[in-house]
Amino acid sequence: ETGVTQTPRHLVMGMTNKKSLKCEQHLGHNAMYWYKQSAKKPLELMFVYSLEERVENNSVPSRFSPECPNSSHLFLHLHTLQPEDSALYLCASSQDFTSGSNEQFFGPGTRLTVL
Amino acid sequence: GQNIDQPTEMTATEGAIVQINCTYQTSGFNGLFWYQQHAGEAPTFLSYNVLDGLEEKGRFSSFLSRSKGYSYLLLKELQMKDSASYLCAVIDSNYQLIWGAGTKLIIKP
């Protein structure tokens, strides 16, 4: 595997379910990100991890819970979601967090549908 | 508040040139990115500008004017595969990427 991978690619869940999204980066990067992408809206940054420590949490509801066990893996745990949480969830990584020319590499995303 | 503006949709003809504009108002500036995103796929990096001027990379060029809070992405010799969304993003003073909603570019034969 190369680059940034995400599983599953598609997920349908009920509002009472608990599920997890997984992201893995094979680039040796130190920073990882979770984004939410809704139709015709800007990418919304949810969480940032730098060297496995959370550095940003942009007022995300507690029904989304991130976990970064090491610098290569990032999880997003989901529970009691709402239909408006249906979106494309993108994971990204970059060499460092505090660097200007900090190109982010994205995974293919998980298309989440909450019924 | 912080804001990135870009047109929602543009249409161009195969073989032609198109310019996609982006204006921004952010708390601080540490660079501007352009990304390409094909439908159902991940965004991929196109360019990075931090100084004023034009950066050319093959058929794609990106321009920045920091004093005007303005950038554009210029695509030459358009091909059908260039049909995609183009995302403008600015790094603010906290090194956070602020994203525009993207411009959907439709290429017609």
Side-chain angles (χ1 to χ4, degrees), chain A residues 24-87:
Chain A
E24 185 172 359
Q25 58 99 358
H26 309 266
L27 300 168
H29 288 167
N30 295 317
M32 296 187 76
Y33 310 77
W34 277 118
Y35 285 95
K36 176 183 179 182
Q37 188 174 36
S38 302
K40 299 185 179 180
K41 288 186 178 180
L43 280 169
E44 299 174 46
L45 179 64
M46 300 176 72
F47 300 103
V48 180
Y49 277 82
S50 178
L51 296 171
E52 302 152 47
E53 289 193 16
R54 189 157 73 188
V55 297
E56 285 285 340
N57 175 2
N58 287 350
S59 303
V60 178
S62 60
R63 57 186 183 269
F64 295 92
S65 175
E67 178 189 1
C68 187
N70 56 60
S71 60
S72 299
H73 293 85
L74 187 64
F75 294 90
L76 187 63
H77 303 300
L78 317 171
H79 65 98
T80 60
L81 294 191
Q82 304 298 310
E84 60 265 29
D85 297 323
S86 298

Side-chain angles (χ1 to χ4, degrees), chain A residues 9 35 37 40-43 45 56 58 88 90 97-104 106-108, chain B residues 8 30-31 33 35 37 40-45 48 87 91 94-97 99-102:
Chain A
R9 294 293 309 276
Y35 285 95
Q37 188 174 36
K40 299 185 179 180
K41 288 186 178 180
L43 280 169
L45 179 64
E56 285 285 340
N58 287 350
L88 181 68
L90 290 164
F97 177 58
T98 55
S99 175
S101 58
N102 211 8
E103 176 189 348
Q104 293 186 12
F106 286 83
Chain B
T8 304
N30 280 302
F33 285 96
Y35 279 80
Q37 186 177 24
E41 297 183 12
T44 55
F45 170 81
Y48 170 74
L87 310 179
I91 307 171
N94 294 319
Y95 291 99
Q96 183 166 321
L97 263 180
W99 294 83

Side-chain angles (χ1 to χ4, degrees), chain A residues 6 9 35-43 87-91 106-111, chain B residues 6 20 34-46 60 73 75 81-88 99-106:
Chain A
Q6 289 186 243
R9 294 293 309 276
Y35 285 95
K36 176 183 179 182
Q37 188 174 36
S38 302
K40 299 185 179 180
K41 288 186 178 180
L43 280 169
L88 181 68
Y89 287 84
L90 290 164
C91 174
F106 286 83
T110 296
R111 174 67 62 185
Chain B
Q6 46 181 137
I20 302 174
W34 283 97
Y35 279 80
Q36 179 190 59
Q37 186 177 24
H38 285 100
E41 297 183 12
T44 55
F45 170 81
L46 287 178
F60 293 6
L73 181 69
L75 292 76
K81 67 178 182 179
D82 297 329
S83 293
S85 288
Y86 291 85
L87 310 179
C88 175
W99 294 83
T103 298
K104 183 178 180 181
L105 178 63
I106 300 168

